[in-house]
Amino acid sequence: VQLGTSYDVAEATGVGRKILKRLARAGFIQEMRPSPHVSMYYYTEVLDLMERTRKDPNFWTQVRRDAYLKGSRIEDASAL
């Protein structure tokens, strides 16, 4: 399993750096911070999430959407 910087993962997947940060804050993917100015993500987690949303048109429930947009953890929501 390979980690990449936000720049590398964004370039390889087409998912913007700000979107990666929001997805991590909501708990959809993991973010590693080896230093204060470097964010790293797993390529496979991002690609797997993209595949899940492609296969399941109902993936973005109201709770998931709110967690993503508000920057809150999905686990803090009362129900999926």
Side-chain angles (χ1 to χ4, degrees), residues 15-73:
V15 178
R17 293 175 53 229
K18 288 182 180 180
I19 294 172
L20 291 170
K21 177 70 75 178
R22 281 182 171 223
L23 290 171
R25 283 188 184 147
F28 293 108
I29 61 174
Q30 295 179 65
E31 177 184 44
M32 273 41 92
R33 300 289 310 256
S35 71
H37 301 288
V38 177
S39 295
M40 300 184 85
Y41 304 94
Y42 289 106
Y43 289 93
T44 54
E45 281 189 351
V46 176
L47 295 173
D48 288 346
L49 179 63
M50 290 172 66
E51 185 66 13
R52 277 181 68 195
T53 61
R54 184 185 71 78
K55 286 183 176 178
D56 182 5
N58 298 316
F59 176 83
W60 288 106
T61 63
Q62 187 64 43
V63 172
R64 288 178 173 149
R65 187 178 302 115
D66 287 347
Y68 170 79
L69 293 173
K70 295 176 183 175
S72 60
R73 303 281 306 166

